[in-house]
Amino acid sequence: MKEMAIGLFILLLGHASTLQAQIQNPAKWTFTAQHIKENIYELKMTAVIDQGWNIYSQTTPAGGPFPTTITFNKNSNVQYGGKAKEMGTMKKKFEQVFGVEVYYYTDSVEFVQLIKLKKAVPTKLSGTVEFMACDAEQCLPPEEVEFEVELK
């Protein structure tokens, strides 16, 4: 009986390590802030995307895959200059599975948010980027990446 329990434990342990190896992370994110002038900054949120994968624009229409969404945590010292701009080669394609034209990026994309500080004091800016990654065979569930940058 003891040998059977040990065998079952080894089998489950092996199965758990196989599941761990299957976790995919096709987009690697970096977050930087660049001082432009006076109290004005650019927050750059850059995704480097694995070959064969893509992530979707903020403007992907309803009914399509999950669009990239940027959410900022409250900060009374920060004013945002509209929606983040997308820098990269956007591709458009009618996706039969969704029934809509989708807007997406391969290789890399940079989301650039203009920020103005109300007071010229060091400020931490934090939030999340939520995105969906797909390849030719599958779409992963939306993933949320937290970030924090210092504006000084």
Side-chain angles (χ1 to χ4, degrees):
M1 189 63 140
K2 186 176 180 181
E3 292 83 14
M4 181 183 256
I6 292 172
L8 182 58
F9 175 76
I10 292 172
L11 179 66
L12 290 174
L13 186 61
H15 183 65
S17 66
T18 302
L19 289 175
Q20 183 69 21
Q22 292 176 352
I23 293 175
Q24 296 176 330
N25 185 16
K28 298 358 173 233
W29 289 87
T30 57
F31 303 90
T32 59
Q34 181 179 0
H35 184 241
I36 304 300
K37 62 180 180 178
E38 288 185 42
N39 295 346
I40 310 241
Y41 294 81
E42 278 185 342
L43 172 61
K44 295 181 179 181
M45 300 159 275
T46 306
V48 176
I49 306 160
D50 289 350
Q51 186 172 0
W53 288 86
N54 55 31
I55 66 172
Y56 297 92
S57 168
Q58 300 171 92
T59 60
T60 294
F66 190 85
T68 299
T69 306
I70 301 165
T71 306
F72 294 99
N73 295 332
K74 289 186 180 184
N75 185 325
S76 61
N77 192 31
V78 175
Q79 289 180 316
Y80 300 99
K83 193 173 195 172
K85 293 180 184 175
E86 298 178 7
M87 312 293 287
T89 305
M90 181 191 294
K91 298 179 181 182
K92 298 178 185 181
K93 176 181 170 184
F94 183 82
E95 281 288 350
Q96 198 76 359
V97 69
F98 296 113
V100 297
E101 185 171 60
V102 298
Y103 310 122
Y104 64 98
Y105 294 92
T106 59
D107 302 320
S108 68
V109 60
E110 188 170 66
F111 297 89
V112 181
Q113 177 67 57
L114 194 60
I115 296 163
K116 180 177 182 181
L117 296 183
K118 295 177 185 175
K119 299 177 196 168
V121 295
T123 300
K124 287 189 178 179
L125 180 65
S126 62
T128 59
V129 175
E130 191 171 10
F131 68 99
M132 176 183 263
C134 297
D135 67 7
E137 298 176 7
Q138 64 182 327
C139 287
L140 300 177
E143 182 180 344
E144 194 172 87
V145 177
E146 294 181 2
F147 65 87
E148 181 176 274
V149 294
E150 191 165 348
L151 308 176
K152 47 185 170 174

PDB file of all heavy atoms in Angstrom, residues 109-132:
ATOM      1  N   VAL A 109       4.725  46.153 -30.048  1.00  0.00           N
ATOM      2  CA  VAL A 109       3.873  47.345 -30.054  1.00  0.00           C
ATOM      3  C   VAL A 109       4.219  48.161 -28.818  1.00  0.00           C
ATOM      4  O   VAL A 109       4.596  47.604 -27.780  1.00  0.00           O
ATOM      5  CB  VAL A 109       2.362  46.994 -30.078  1.00  0.00           C
ATOM      6  CG1 VAL A 109       1.963  46.168 -28.875  1.00  0.00           C
ATOM      7  CG2 VAL A 109       1.503  48.258 -30.194  1.00  0.00           C
ATOM      8  N   GLU A 110       4.116  49.470 -28.963  1.00  0.00           N
ATOM      9  CA  GLU A 110       4.371  50.361 -27.836  1.00  0.00           C
ATOM     10  C   GLU A 110       3.140  51.242 -27.645  1.00  0.00           C
ATOM     11  O   GLU A 110       2.666  51.882 -28.586  1.00  0.00           O
ATOM     12  CB  GLU A 110       5.604  51.214 -28.120  1.00  0.00           C
ATOM     13  CG  GLU A 110       6.069  52.039 -26.944  1.00  0.00           C
ATOM     14  CD  GLU A 110       7.426  52.656 -27.221  1.00  0.00           C
ATOM     15  OE1 GLU A 110       7.524  53.507 -28.126  1.00  0.00           O
ATOM     16  OE2 GLU A 110       8.381  52.277 -26.526  1.00  0.00           O
ATOM     17  N   PHE A 111       2.622  51.252 -26.434  1.00  0.00           N
ATOM     18  CA  PHE A 111       1.515  52.117 -26.067  1.00  0.00           C
ATOM     19  C   PHE A 111       2.129  53.295 -25.324  1.00  0.00           C
ATOM     20  O   PHE A 111       2.860  53.100 -24.347  1.00  0.00           O
ATOM     21  CB  PHE A 111       0.513  51.376 -25.171  1.00  0.00           C
ATOM     22  CG  PHE A 111      -0.123  50.203 -25.856  1.00  0.00           C
ATOM     23  CD1 PHE A 111       0.448  48.944 -25.803  1.00  0.00           C
ATOM     24  CD2 PHE A 111      -1.293  50.362 -26.583  1.00  0.00           C
ATOM     25  CE1 PHE A 111      -0.133  47.856 -26.435  1.00  0.00           C
ATOM     26  CE2 PHE A 111      -1.891  49.285 -27.234  1.00  0.00           C
ATOM     27  CZ  PHE A 111      -1.307  48.034 -27.155  1.00  0.00           C
ATOM     28  N   VAL A 112       1.856  54.512 -25.794  1.00  0.00           N
ATOM     29  CA  VAL A 112       2.479  55.707 -25.236  1.00  0.00           C
ATOM     30  C   VAL A 112       1.396  56.604 -24.651  1.00  0.00           C
ATOM     31  O   VAL A 112       0.505  57.063 -25.370  1.00  0.00           O
ATOM     32  CB  VAL A 112       3.298  56.474 -26.306  1.00  0.00           C
ATOM     33  CG1 VAL A 112       3.948  57.704 -25.699  1.00  0.00           C
ATOM     34  CG2 VAL A 112       4.345  55.561 -26.934  1.00  0.00           C
ATOM     35  N   GLN A 113       1.498  56.841 -23.351  1.00  0.00           N
ATOM     36  CA  GLN A 113       0.521  57.674 -22.644  1.00  0.00           C
ATOM     37  C   GLN A 113       1.188  58.973 -22.214  1.00  0.00           C
ATOM     38  O   GLN A 113       2.206  58.954 -21.527  1.00  0.00           O
ATOM     39  CB  GLN A 113      -0.010  56.942 -21.412  1.00  0.00           C
ATOM     40  CG  GLN A 113      -0.969  57.746 -20.575  1.00  0.00           C
ATOM     41  CD  GLN A 113      -2.279  58.020 -21.293  1.00  0.00           C
ATOM     42  OE1 GLN A 113      -2.954  57.099 -21.709  1.00  0.00           O
ATOM     43  NE2 GLN A 113      -2.635  59.277 -21.430  1.00  0.00           N
ATOM     44  N   LEU A 114       0.625  60.105 -22.615  1.00  0.00           N
ATOM     45  CA  LEU A 114       1.111  61.408 -22.200  1.00  0.00           C
ATOM     46  C   LEU A 114       0.569  61.700 -20.806  1.00  0.00           C
ATOM     47  O   LEU A 114      -0.619  61.496 -20.539  1.00  0.00           O
ATOM     48  CB  LEU A 114       0.652  62.468 -23.195  1.00  0.00           C
ATOM     49  CG  LEU A 114       1.323  63.824 -23.117  1.00  0.00           C
ATOM     50  CD1 LEU A 114       2.832  63.691 -23.360  1.00  0.00           C
ATOM     51  CD2 LEU A 114       0.718  64.766 -24.140  1.00  0.00           C
ATOM     52  N   ILE A 115       1.443  62.206 -19.941  1.00  0.00           N
ATOM     53  CA  ILE A 115       1.093  62.434 -18.544  1.00  0.00           C
ATOM     54  C   ILE A 115       1.603  63.807 -18.124  1.00  0.00           C
ATOM     55  O   ILE A 115       2.728  64.182 -18.459  1.00  0.00           O
ATOM     56  CB  ILE A 115       1.725  61.366 -17.642  1.00  0.00           C
ATOM     57  CG1 ILE A 115       1.132  60.005 -17.991  1.00  0.00           C
ATOM     58  CG2 ILE A 115       1.539  61.690 -16.169  1.00  0.00           C
ATOM     59  CD1 ILE A 115       1.934  58.858 -17.469  1.00  0.00           C
ATOM     60  N   LYS A 116       0.776  64.533 -17.370  1.00  0.00           N
ATOM     61  CA  LYS A 116       1.197  65.817 -16.810  1.00  0.00           C
ATOM     62  C   LYS A 116       1.028  65.755 -15.302  1.00  0.00           C
ATOM     63  O   LYS A 116      -0.027  65.343 -14.802  1.00  0.00           O
ATOM     64  CB  LYS A 116       0.367  66.964 -17.377  1.00  0.00           C
ATOM     65  CG  LYS A 116       0.781  68.313 -16.829  1.00  0.00           C
ATOM     66  CD  LYS A 116       0.000  69.445 -17.458  1.00  0.00           C
ATOM     67  CE  LYS A 116       0.493  70.773 -16.897  1.00  0.00           C
ATOM     68  NZ  LYS A 116      -0.255  71.899 -17.471  1.00  0.00           N
ATOM     69  N   LEU A 117       2.084  66.140 -14.594  1.00  0.00           N
ATOM     70  CA  LEU A 117       2.003  66.220 -13.132  1.00  0.00           C
ATOM     71  C   LEU A 117       1.449  67.580 -12.746  1.00  0.00           C
ATOM     72  O   LEU A 117       1.862  68.605 -13.300  1.00  0.00           O
ATOM     73  CB  LEU A 117       3.378  66.018 -12.498  1.00  0.00           C
ATOM     74  CG  LEU A 117       4.036  64.664 -12.702  1.00  0.00           C
ATOM     75  CD1 LEU A 117       5.360  64.602 -11.939  1.00  0.00           C
ATOM     76  CD2 LEU A 117       3.131  63.541 -12.252  1.00  0.00           C
ATOM     77  N   LYS A 118       0.525  67.612 -11.788  1.00  0.00           N
ATOM     78  CA  LYS A 118      -0.028  68.882 -11.308  1.00  0.00           C
ATOM     79  C   LYS A 118       0.998  69.634 -10.467  1.00  0.00           C
ATOM     80  O   LYS A 118       1.043  70.856 -10.488  1.00  0.00           O
ATOM     81  CB  LYS A 118      -1.298  68.623 -10.510  1.00  0.00           C
ATOM     82  CG  LYS A 118      -2.427  68.047 -11.350  1.00  0.00           C
ATOM     83  CD  LYS A 118      -3.638  67.740 -10.503  1.00  0.00           C
ATOM     84  CE  LYS A 118      -4.717  67.065 -11.325  1.00  0.00           C
ATOM     85  NZ  LYS A 118      -5.857  66.666 -10.486  1.00  0.00           N
ATOM     86  N   LYS A 119       1.810  68.880  -9.729  1.00  0.00           N
ATOM     87  CA  LYS A 119       2.885  69.453  -8.907  1.00  0.00           C
ATOM     88  C   LYS A 119       4.180  68.752  -9.278  1.00  0.00           C
ATOM     89  O   LYS A 119       4.195  67.539  -9.471  1.00  0.00           O
ATOM     90  CB  LYS A 119       2.608  69.231  -7.415  1.00  0.00           C
ATOM     91  CG  LYS A 119       1.367  69.856  -6.899  1.00  0.00           C
ATOM     92  CD  LYS A 119       1.180  69.502  -5.436  1.00  0.00           C
ATOM     93  CE  LYS A 119      -0.243  69.775  -4.994  1.00  0.00           C
ATOM     94  NZ  LYS A 119      -0.518  69.197  -3.691  1.00  0.00           N
ATOM     95  N   ALA A 120       5.254  69.516  -9.333  1.00  0.00           N
ATOM     96  CA  ALA A 120       6.560  68.964  -9.716  1.00  0.00           C
ATOM     97  C   ALA A 120       7.197  68.254  -8.522  1.00  0.00           C
ATOM     98  O   ALA A 120       8.160  68.730  -7.941  1.00  0.00           O
ATOM     99  CB  ALA A 120       7.471  70.060 -10.238  1.00  0.00           C
ATOM    100  N   VAL A 121       6.628  67.125  -8.157  1.00  0.00           N
ATOM    101  CA  VAL A 121       7.193  66.304  -7.075  1.00  0.00           C
ATOM    102  C   VAL A 121       7.293  64.876  -7.581  1.00  0.00           C
ATOM    103  O   VAL A 121       6.514  64.454  -8.434  1.00  0.00           O
ATOM    104  CB  VAL A 121       6.310  66.357  -5.799  1.00  0.00           C
ATOM    105  CG1 VAL A 121       6.289  67.757  -5.207  1.00  0.00           C
ATOM    106  CG2 VAL A 121       4.901  65.890  -6.068  1.00  0.00           C
ATOM    107  N   PRO A 122       8.244  64.099  -7.071  1.00  0.00           N
ATOM    108  CA  PRO A 122       8.313  62.692  -7.500  1.00  0.00           C
ATOM    109  C   PRO A 122       6.983  61.988  -7.237  1.00  0.00           C
ATOM    110  O   PRO A 122       6.390  62.140  -6.170  1.00  0.00           O
ATOM    111  CB  PRO A 122       9.434  62.109  -6.640  1.00  0.00           C
ATOM    112  CG  PRO A 122      10.260  63.286  -6.263  1.00  0.00           C
ATOM    113  CD  PRO A 122       9.298  64.439  -6.131  1.00  0.00           C
ATOM    114  N   THR A 123       6.515  61.259  -8.218  1.00  0.00           N
ATOM    115  CA  THR A 123       5.219  60.582  -8.151  1.00  0.00           C
ATOM    116  C   THR A 123       5.345  59.177  -8.711  1.00  0.00           C
ATOM    117  O   THR A 123       5.991  58.981  -9.738  1.00  0.00           O
ATOM    118  CB  THR A 123       4.164  61.357  -8.974  1.00  0.00           C
ATOM    119  OG1 THR A 123       4.038  62.671  -8.441  1.00  0.00           O
ATOM    120  CG2 THR A 123       2.822  60.665  -8.952  1.00  0.00           C
ATOM    121  N   LYS A 124       4.724  58.233  -8.044  1.00  0.00           N
ATOM    122  CA  LYS A 124       4.659  56.870  -8.584  1.00  0.00           C
ATOM    123  C   LYS A 124       3.345  56.720  -9.341  1.00  0.00           C
ATOM    124  O   LYS A 124       2.293  57.124  -8.858  1.00  0.00           O
ATOM    125  CB  LYS A 124       4.754  55.834  -7.462  1.00  0.00           C
ATOM    126  CG  LYS A 124       6.148  55.727  -6.892  1.00  0.00           C
ATOM    127  CD  LYS A 124       6.276  54.574  -5.943  1.00  0.00           C
ATOM    128  CE  LYS A 124       7.718  54.510  -5.446  1.00  0.00           C
ATOM    129  NZ  LYS A 124       7.932  53.440  -4.498  1.00  0.00           N
ATOM    130  N   LEU A 125       3.464  56.145 -10.521  1.00  0.00           N
ATOM    131  CA  LEU A 125       2.314  55.896 -11.365  1.00  0.00           C
ATOM    132  C   LEU A 125       2.191  54.387 -11.513  1.00  0.00           C
ATOM    133  O   LEU A 125       3.160  53.713 -11.855  1.00  0.00           O
ATOM    134  CB  LEU A 125       2.518  56.554 -12.733  1.00  0.00           C
ATOM    135  CG  LEU A 125       1.409  56.402 -13.745  1.00  0.00           C
ATOM    136  CD1 LEU A 125       0.150  57.113 -13.272  1.00  0.00           C
ATOM    137  CD2 LEU A 125       1.849  56.981 -15.082  1.00  0.00           C
ATOM    138  N   SER A 126       1.006  53.860 -11.254  1.00  0.00           N
ATOM    139  CA  SER A 126       0.824  52.410 -11.340  1.00  0.00           C
ATOM    140  C   SER A 126      -0.501  52.087 -12.009  1.00  0.00           C
ATOM    141  O   SER A 126      -1.376  52.931 -12.138  1.00  0.00           O
ATOM    142  CB  SER A 126       0.888  51.780  -9.942  1.00  0.00           C
ATOM    143  OG  SER A 126      -0.162  52.292  -9.133  1.00  0.00           O
ATOM    144  N   GLY A 127      -0.600  50.838 -12.426  1.00  0.00           N
ATOM    145  CA  GLY A 127      -1.819  50.390 -13.063  1.00  0.00           C
ATOM    146  C   GLY A 127      -1.645  49.002 -13.643  1.00  0.00           C
ATOM    147  O   GLY A 127      -0.759  48.245 -13.220  1.00  0.00           O
ATOM    148  N   THR A 128      -2.482  48.684 -14.629  1.00  0.00           N
ATOM    149  CA  THR A 128      -2.430  47.376 -15.269  1.00  0.00           C
ATOM    150  C   THR A 128      -2.631  47.510 -16.775  1.00  0.00           C
ATOM    151  O   THR A 128      -3.276  48.448 -17.245  1.00  0.00           O
ATOM    152  CB  THR A 128      -3.517  46.426 -14.727  1.00  0.00           C
ATOM    153  OG1 THR A 128      -4.798  47.021 -14.952  1.00  0.00           O
ATOM    154  CG2 THR A 128      -3.329  46.126 -13.254  1.00  0.00           C
ATOM    155  N   VAL A 129      -2.067  46.554 -17.488  1.00  0.00           N
ATOM    156  CA  VAL A 129      -2.356  46.367 -18.908  1.00  0.00           C
ATOM    157  C   VAL A 129      -2.972  44.979 -19.019  1.00  0.00           C
ATOM    158  O   VAL A 129      -2.400  43.999 -18.553  1.00  0.00           O
ATOM    159  CB  VAL A 129      -1.074  46.448 -19.770  1.00  0.00           C
ATOM    160  CG1 VAL A 129      -1.388  46.119 -21.218  1.00  0.00           C
ATOM    161  CG2 VAL A 129      -0.437  47.824 -19.671  1.00  0.00           C
ATOM    162  N   GLU A 130      -4.161  44.930 -19.604  1.00  0.00           N
ATOM    163  CA  GLU A 130      -4.825  43.643 -19.816  1.00  0.00           C
ATOM    164  C   GLU A 130      -4.888  43.402 -21.313  1.00  0.00           C
ATOM    165  O   GLU A 130      -5.266  44.294 -22.074  1.00  0.00           O
ATOM    166  CB  GLU A 130      -6.221  43.648 -19.199  1.00  0.00           C
ATOM    167  CG  GLU A 130      -6.841  42.266 -19.153  1.00  0.00           C
ATOM    168  CD  GLU A 130      -8.133  42.225 -18.349  1.00  0.00           C
ATOM    169  OE1 GLU A 130      -8.674  43.278 -17.979  1.00  0.00           O
ATOM    170  OE2 GLU A 130      -8.617  41.099 -18.107  1.00  0.00           O
ATOM    171  N   PHE A 131      -4.497  42.207 -21.742  1.00  0.00           N
ATOM    172  CA  PHE A 131      -4.418  41.913 -23.165  1.00  0.00           C
ATOM    173  C   PHE A 131      -4.728  40.443 -23.413  1.00  0.00           C
ATOM    174  O   PHE A 131      -4.682  39.626 -22.508  1.00  0.00           O
ATOM    175  CB  PHE A 131      -3.011  42.237 -23.701  1.00  0.00           C
ATOM    176  CG  PHE A 131      -1.948  41.318 -23.164  1.00  0.00           C
ATOM    177  CD1 PHE A 131      -1.498  40.251 -23.928  1.00  0.00           C
ATOM    178  CD2 PHE A 131      -1.412  41.493 -21.900  1.00  0.00           C
ATOM    179  CE1 PHE A 131      -0.537  39.374 -23.438  1.00  0.00           C
ATOM    180  CE2 PHE A 131      -0.445  40.631 -21.401  1.00  0.00           C
ATOM    181  CZ  PHE A 131      -0.008  39.569 -22.170  1.00  0.00           C
ATOM    182  N   MET A 132      -5.021  40.141 -24.671  1.00  0.00           N
ATOM    183  CA  MET A 132      -5.242  38.761 -25.095  1.00  0.00           C
ATOM    184  C   MET A 132      -4.233  38.441 -26.191  1.00  0.00           C
ATOM    185  O   MET A 132      -4.008  39.258 -27.081  1.00  0.00           O
ATOM    186  CB  MET A 132      -6.658  38.577 -25.634  1.00  0.00           C
ATOM    187  CG  MET A 132      -6.921  37.187 -26.184  1.00  0.00           C
ATOM    188  SD  MET A 132      -8.587  37.051 -26.880  1.00  0.00           S
ATOM    189  CE  MET A 132      -9.422  36.327 -25.484  1.00  0.00           C
TER     190      MET A 132
END
